[in-house]
Amino acid sequence: MNTLPKSITGPANFLDERIGGANFLKRNLRKIFPDHWTFLLGEIALYSFIILLLTGTFLTFWFEPSMDDVIYNGPYAPLRGVEMSAAYASTMEISFEVRGGLLLRQMHHWAALLFVASLVVHMLRVFFTGAYRKPREINWLIGIGLFTISLFEGLTGYSLPDDLLSGAGLRITQGVLMSLPLIGSYLSFFLFGGEYPGEAVIARFYSMHILLIPGILLALITAHLVLMWVQKHTQMPGKGRTETNVVGAPLMPAFMGKSGAFLLFTLGVVAGLATFTQINPIWMFGPYTPADISAGSQPDWYMGFLEGSLRLMPSWEINLFGTAHAGTLPLSVLIPALLPLGLIITGLVLFPFLERWVTGDRREHHIADRPRNNPHRTAIGVSGITFYGLLWLLGANDEIAANFHVSLNWTTYIGRVLIFVGPALAYFITYRMCLGLQRSDANVLSHGVESGVIKRLPHGEFIEVHAPPADDIEAHVLGKKPVPMLPAARGDGHRHVPPKEARSLMGRLRLKMSRAYGGEKVPLETDHEHEETSVARRDH
């Protein structure tokens, strides 16, 4: 198309006549976006955040962030006359007395779950395709910051209704703070305004939940989008796709139309969940009091790993100077609270730089990898998912024991073994699967694809006729490139001169790691001589 549509030229000319912005608009409104479906995963997080802002604004009109005691006299009969906090009473008012209040409150909760889930899935897409490599390391770090801060945003919002379930989570938070050596008690007193539960935590969480953390999230999302806009988009390998171009649809009108429809679809899904699927029925839990406990309580899914790590950890502690009075390090709380999330976040932050150090690859990458074509990276990612998933699953070991009629202790013992064995086993299986998929790709190129046509040869053998793969499939497979690695030793007469990077103990270790991680594991063969290639077995 040689001429720009009127939807672009009209606004461009309007602004150009007033502020001289025609060239800027024409250039950016025709920006090309890749058309692969995985690139819309990040859009879900953005749209969920928009829904969170709109529904959260609505809820602030009626929510009262106060822990002052009041007597409930609302329409929910089972709680009439019960003493509760003003925060819980105002949440009950939103649920039962404000028109549309329960729908908006449940939309807010579902959108929060979807926001964190879409962030996780988007990060996994970026990780498995290698889209974090140069020049996108900064955007990768911003994404990790978004994920980490969203966990704290969820924690603060989850605690605001001051019901029995959220109070149990708040008690765990206070226990984690108290486990920190030297500063734990000070942090707890500062957060709660005195001895637990204090009278200030709801008001302080409310300020963080609606002002501080959303402001940080909004700033990070803006920076993330600006960097994404400035840098070239990554795209999956395929026909006509190179490191210097982007194949897809322009922002106006194609991508905007698709994006607008996707926003409405996301809104419809969240509204449908809020309408037909009940979540967080605080009236069933009752108001929180420190003396009350409940069985079978579970946090929101993204905090389930913390619950699981606390349940799996043995009751270890260190008494400093040999006495409990001098100081105690409760490892049974400190390790599960800090180590699992610390391992995951630290690993995600360091991985792009560790991979570059191992492979020596400092080139820019705009073509995304197929996960199978970097088997070690994919296996590492699946190991991390397995580690997180096992902790999340075993956060419900009491429910598992009760529903499957097995010993609660045995679920704990088995979980302690699986948390080490599971990721290692997942790594091995994933690595072998990636190699198998690479061999399948090589087989498609060298022998063609199955046509479903059976042919009998003159000597009586039955074979299936294979046809050459379609151009787009072949280009997709041929987009594979060997994983970079450090250069090998150079020959110098009778000597082998090691590369500069491998002339120390750490360098030799780096070279061995590079040889194991990089290179071509399964070479592709593209020279098929005949259009019909048979790879069938004799018909027995």
Side-chain angles (χ1 to χ4, degrees), residues 35-49:
D35 54 5
H36 197 271
W37 66 271
T38 57
F39 292 91
L40 291 175
L41 294 173
E43 304 284 327
I44 302 176
L46 177 62
Y47 302 149
S48 301
F49 185 70

Side-chain angles (χ1 to χ4, degrees), residues 431-476:
Y431 182 80
R432 300 306 304 177
M433 288 179 63
C434 288
L435 294 185
L437 291 171
Q438 287 191 45
R439 293 189 184 98
S440 176
D441 289 341
N443 186 64
V444 167
L445 290 181
S446 59
H447 300 295
V449 297
E450 298 175 354
S451 65
V453 177
I454 304 300
K455 182 178 180 180
R456 182 177 181 181
L457 300 181
H459 60 275
E461 181 183 9
F462 288 92
I463 63 170
E464 181 179 10
V465 176
H466 284 211
D471 291 343
D472 55 342
I473 295 177
E474 185 174 18
H476 190 56

Side-chain angles (χ1 to χ4, degrees), residues 64-143:
E64 185 177 350
S66 171
M67 298 181 70
D68 294 340
D69 292 330
V70 299
I71 302 298
Y72 180 72
N73 291 311
Y76 187 68
L79 289 179
R80 284 179 186 164
V82 175
E83 186 176 351
M84 58 185 63
S85 67
Y88 184 85
S90 64
T91 310
M92 292 290 292
E93 179 187 1
I94 293 172
S95 301
F96 289 101
E97 300 178 63
V98 176
R99 187 180 298 274
L102 180 59
L103 175 65
L104 270 296
R105 192 174 72 82
Q106 296 204 144
M107 284 183 65
H108 190 73
H109 202 128
W110 277 116
L113 300 183
L114 185 61
F115 175 64
V116 182
S118 54
L119 279 179
V120 171
V121 176
H122 179 58
M123 288 175 59
L124 291 177
R125 198 276 300 176
V126 172
F127 179 86
F128 285 120
T129 61
Y132 53 79
R133 294 172 294 179
K134 184 180 178 180
R136 298 175 183 83
E137 300 95 333
I138 296 177
N139 230 4
W140 170 251
L141 297 179
I142 291 175

Side-chain angles (χ1 to χ4, degrees), residues 137-416:
E137 300 95 333
I138 296 177
N139 230 4
W140 170 251
L141 297 179
I142 291 175
I144 296 171
L146 277 169
F147 170 70
T148 307
I149 295 174
S150 68
L151 296 182
F152 290 99
E153 175 74 343
L155 173 65
T156 55
Y158 181 78
S159 304
L160 290 182
D162 200 29
D163 59 287
L164 184 58
L165 183 60
S166 66
L170 199 59
R171 181 59 167 166
I172 294 175
T173 303
Q174 192 260 351
V176 170
L177 289 177
M178 291 295 291
S179 71
L180 299 175
L182 301 179
I183 62 173
S185 58
Y186 296 99
L187 291 177
S188 178
F189 268 68
F190 172 75
L191 179 63
F192 292 94
E195 290 285 353
Y196 178 85
E199 297 180 354
V201 65
I202 297 298
R204 290 174 179 176
F205 270 15
Y206 183 71
S207 299
M208 289 189 285
H209 185 73
I210 70 167
L211 292 176
L212 178 62
I213 301 180
I216 298 174
L217 288 174
L218 192 58
L220 290 177
I221 290 174
T222 302
H224 190 77
L225 293 176
V226 168
L227 280 176
M228 180 271 299
W229 191 275
V230 172
Q231 295 170 340
K232 187 188 299 294
H233 293 283
T234 59
Q235 57 185 344
M236 298 302 292
K239 189 175 181 180
R241 293 172 172 87
T242 68
E243 294 281 1
T244 59
N245 70 354
V246 177
V247 177
L251 174 66
M252 284 289 292
F255 186 79
M256 285 297 292
K258 182 193 299 184
S259 187
F262 203 43
L263 169 61
L264 295 177
F265 177 76
T266 304
L267 177 61
V269 169
V270 172
L273 287 170
T275 303
F276 300 107
T277 308
Q278 179 176 266
I279 189 170
N280 199 24
I282 61 165
W283 53 89
M284 296 179 62
F285 307 143
Y288 176 67
T289 56
D292 291 337
I293 60 173
S294 61
S297 59
Q298 300 295 325
D300 283 336
W301 72 268
Y302 49 85
M303 298 301 292
F305 77 96
L306 176 60
E307 184 85 9
S309 60
L310 286 168
R311 297 187 184 200
L312 290 183
M313 184 67 190
S315 56
W316 294 348
E317 65 179 30
I318 296 178
N319 294 318
L320 301 179
F321 309 110
T323 63
H325 302 287
T328 300
L329 288 180
L331 300 181
S332 56
V333 177
L334 194 62
I335 290 178
L338 302 181
L339 187 61
L341 185 61
L343 283 175
I344 294 172
I345 298 300
T346 305
L348 291 173
V349 168
L350 295 180
F351 192 85
F353 308 100
L354 290 175
E355 185 182 58
R356 186 173 62 186
W357 180 77
V358 169
T359 62
D361 181 21
R362 297 182 179 275
R363 299 169 298 171
E364 289 193 3
H365 293 272
H366 303 294
I367 297 292
D369 289 336
R370 300 174 74 196
R372 67 185 68 182
N373 292 338
N374 194 321
H376 282 293
R377 179 207 293 150
T378 303
I380 291 171
V382 174
S383 295
I385 294 173
T386 304
F387 176 73
Y388 182 94
L390 285 171
L391 290 178
W392 172 81
L393 179 66
L394 291 165
N397 66 340
D398 55 342
E399 295 289 344
I400 294 173
N403 286 282
F404 291 94
H405 305 288
V406 295
S407 168
L408 177 63
N409 289 335
W410 275 109
T411 62
T412 304
Y413 299 147
I414 293 172
R416 290 173 181 173

